[in-house]
Amino acid sequence: MPGLLRGVARTAVVAGTATAVSNRVSRRQQGRWAQQEYQEAPPQPAPAAPPPPPAPSADDMSSRIDQLKQLGDLKAQGVLTEAEFEEQKRRILG
């Protein structure tokens, strides 16, 4: 019986070692293939910058100035808080 047990143990060790080596070779090969695919892939073009916002017209500018004046008056009267004033000002100038 001890000879049989020794043979089974030896077979288990050999099989386990073979499996570990095989897995390592497969992982290394997959890594090489992935690196080759990355190197062969054409470079991705850089995304285009968004176009600048259109310049406001003279009428639009005077309208914004009027709105800002009204906001300033409301703030001076105490109707708007500083935070509300800043928020509305950002929205108008946006």
Side-chain angles (χ1 to χ4, degrees):
M1 196 64 132
L4 180 62
L5 188 58
R6 186 178 299 149
V8 169
R10 183 179 298 148
T11 302
V13 168
V14 169
T17 303
T19 301
V21 170
S22 173
N23 288 341
R24 180 174 164 84
V25 169
S26 293
R27 282 193 305 270
R28 190 182 315 163
Q29 194 172 24
Q30 288 290 338
R32 287 181 182 163
W33 289 343
Q35 187 177 13
Q36 284 177 351
E37 288 176 6
Y38 176 75
Q39 290 174 350
E40 291 173 359
Q44 297 293 328
S57 66
D59 291 337
D60 189 38
M61 283 302 290
S62 67
S63 169
R64 287 182 181 187
I65 291 172
D66 291 339
Q67 288 177 339
L68 288 173
K69 284 180 183 177
Q70 290 174 352
L71 276 178
D73 292 341
L74 290 174
K75 182 182 166 205
Q77 294 171 7
V79 175
L80 293 176
T81 65
E82 181 68 29
E84 292 170 331
F85 173 75
E86 290 298 322
E87 180 183 336
Q88 292 299 319
K89 183 172 78 170
R90 260 193 310 271
R91 185 184 59 79
I92 292 170
L93 296 176

